[in-house]
Amino acid sequence: MITTNRTFQGTVASISSSFLFSLMFLFGLFMQPLSGTQVASWRVLMMLLSLVLLVSFTKQWQHVFEYLKTLKTPKDWLLFVLPTPILGGQIWLFMWGPVNGYGLDVTLGYFLLPLVMILLGRFLYKENMSLWQWIAALCAAMGVSYDVFQYGSISWVTLFACLGYPPYYLLRRKLAVPPVTGLLSDLTLLSPVVLIMLYSSGGFSMATQTSKFWYLLPLLGAFSALAMSLSMVASRKLPVSLFGALSYLEPMLLFVLSVTVLKQSLDEGGSLFMYGMVSLALVFMIIDSAAGYITRRRDDRLHGYNEPQIDTFPPRQRLIKRRIKGVLRARRFRKIRRYQQRVNRIEQKIEQLHSK
């Protein structure tokens, strides 16, 4: 019963998050005459404000500072800061694309993103791929190759959308950055840039002089914070395979909105054959995720496993457990980093001996 409840809650959270992200896709239309770049800048500021309120309300500041204390060397700080421009570019593209006729191109990039991540995991981290994943990757490759052969190229917006996030995730994974900590630092570092941009382009005066922005801007920040929090809730409550399958709902919604609301023709974003092959690839990915989820549920039931209920009472006890877990996690990061440095020094000495 506990597992069923958690799965249902996670599924509702994931679907709600996808709907909220798809609504933000249209905010550029609602907030005209602001340009897409100005809307993206306001989104960064509103997201930062909402995230600060969210972290303060959930009392997670200690976890944020505990992780930052683990960054000791300039190299660690460089790897920590390096993904920030990537996220800034993706936020800009998400808000700029729909109002400039690139809604379908952005959507296609998000369609291809899961497949790019799978291929990176296979060839970079040597992870195994199932038969369904290989078939999905082959279908997507055939669709993209057809468009490149037919038109000579593929949209830079699509490439930026599907190839931008993988380096971001890989760099965050290298330092094991918690999602809230990473996003909070990214938005904080981006704030001076967007403030200068809004001041120089007249975004502040335009927003203060138009009454509709007085509720649209807070709504944009609230939607962003709520979508992020629901996505994090879903990632904690759902198995990885089911969470991955439900994440494909967002690009499907973006595709429908691009064709219906933005009134874009399919020919503007690519050929019908490519969309068909990419959609077929997503179907195979969903089948693979669902099959993995069903298999794991069956194995867990056979072994008498029940997923533990984390959200227990009293709340104060849960808060104390979170703080203890954060301290232990920070200490573990430090130990792992020290051991890795020792291993690197030993490997360097071995290489020096071999060279002699």
Side-chain angles (χ1 to χ4, degrees):
M1 181 64 68
I2 292 175
T3 303
T4 304
N5 290 338
R6 288 177 60 83
T7 302
F8 175 76
Q9 294 168 4
T11 302
V12 172
S14 178
I15 294 174
S16 302
S17 175
S18 297
F19 273 104
L20 287 175
F21 276 121
S22 62
L23 285 177
M24 284 190 291
F25 193 61
L26 302 177
F27 253 82
L29 296 178
F30 302 152
M31 299 183 69
Q32 291 179 345
L34 288 178
S35 66
T37 303
Q38 290 172 332
V39 174
S41 301
W42 274 113
R43 183 188 173 188
V44 170
L45 296 179
M46 293 296 102
M47 283 176 66
L48 179 60
L49 177 61
S50 302
L51 190 59
V52 168
L53 294 175
L54 179 65
V55 173
S56 301
F57 179 75
T58 56
K59 300 180 180 180
Q60 296 187 37
W61 284 111
Q62 183 176 357
H63 301 324
V64 175
F65 294 131
E66 285 291 342
Y67 178 81
L68 294 177
K69 292 177 182 178
T70 65
L71 303 174
K72 301 294 184 181
T73 64
K75 180 182 178 182
D76 293 338
W77 280 104
L78 177 63
L79 293 177
F80 183 72
V81 174
L82 201 58
T84 298
I86 300 176
L87 181 66
Q90 292 295 330
I91 293 175
W92 168 79
L93 185 67
F94 190 81
M95 306 308 298
W96 175 87
V99 295
N100 288 275
Y102 290 100
L104 279 176
D105 301 88
V106 175
T107 302
L108 181 59
Y110 283 110
F111 270 130
L112 295 174
L113 177 59
L115 298 168
V116 174
M117 295 295 292
I118 288 175
L119 293 176
L120 282 177
R122 172 63 183 89
F123 295 105
L124 191 62
Y125 289 98
K126 308 301 180 182
E127 297 176 354
N128 294 325
M129 289 176 60
S130 66
L131 177 61
W132 289 114
Q133 290 176 341
W134 277 113
I135 296 175
L138 181 61
C139 290
M142 289 173 59
V144 174
S145 300
Y146 174 83
D147 264 33
V148 172
F149 178 77
Q150 187 77 11
Y151 303 108
S153 63
I154 190 170
S155 172
W156 67 269
V157 175
T158 299
L159 292 177
F160 190 62
C162 68
L163 299 180
Y165 269 121
Y168 177 85
Y169 290 135
L170 294 178
L171 289 170
R172 285 288 180 244
R173 178 175 177 174
K174 185 175 180 62
L175 290 179
V177 182
V180 174
T181 303
L183 186 59
L184 188 61
S185 67
D186 290 333
L187 296 176
T188 303
L189 293 173
L190 288 172
S191 294
V193 179
V194 300
L195 285 171
I196 294 173
M197 199 288 304
L198 285 173
Y199 179 78
S200 61
S201 63
F204 284 119
S205 59
M206 194 180 302
T208 54
Q209 293 172 3
T210 308
S211 59
K212 69 175 182 179
F213 295 136
W214 298 352
Y215 63 87
L216 281 178
L217 288 175
L219 198 62
L220 178 61
F223 276 14
S224 299
L226 186 58
M228 289 185 302
S229 59
L230 287 173
S231 180
M232 288 186 288
V233 168
S235 66
R236 290 199 307 266
K237 290 183 177 290
L238 291 176
V240 176
S241 55
L242 183 57
F243 178 70
L246 290 173
S247 65
Y248 301 136
L249 177 62
E250 181 184 344
M252 292 179 181
L253 291 173
L254 298 183
F255 177 80
V256 173
L257 291 175
S258 297
V259 175
T260 57
V261 179
L262 299 179
K263 304 297 183 182
Q264 280 197 263
S265 172
L266 289 179
D267 296 335
E268 298 179 30
S271 66
L272 187 60
F273 176 78
M274 181 183 65
Y275 279 114
M277 295 304 292
V278 172
S279 300
L280 187 61
L282 287 179
V283 171
F284 289 138
M285 291 292 297
I286 293 173
I287 292 174
D288 178 74
S289 299
Y293 172 66
I294 294 172
T295 301
R296 195 169 76 167
R297 281 288 301 273
R298 184 178 65 249
D299 293 342
D300 292 343
R301 190 164 53 249
L302 290 175
H303 291 87
Y305 172 78
N306 286 323
E307 188 175 356
Q309 186 177 12
I310 299 176
D311 301 328
T312 55
F313 288 96
R316 179 173 176 79
Q317 182 180 0
R318 185 172 71 247
L319 180 61
I320 293 173
K321 288 181 179 179
R322 285 181 181 177
R323 290 177 178 175
I324 294 174
K325 188 182 296 184
V327 173
L328 294 176
R329 187 182 294 114
R331 291 178 179 174
R332 185 166 66 250
F333 285 144
R334 296 191 194 101
K335 288 183 179 180
I336 292 174
R337 194 154 291 123
R338 285 199 299 267
Y339 289 145
Q340 187 63 47
Q341 290 173 355
R342 292 177 185 175
V343 170
N344 291 338
R345 286 196 296 267
I346 293 173
E347 289 178 350
Q348 290 176 359
K349 291 181 180 179
I350 293 174
E351 291 178 358
Q352 292 174 0
L353 291 174
H354 281 302
S355 61
K356 293 180 179 179

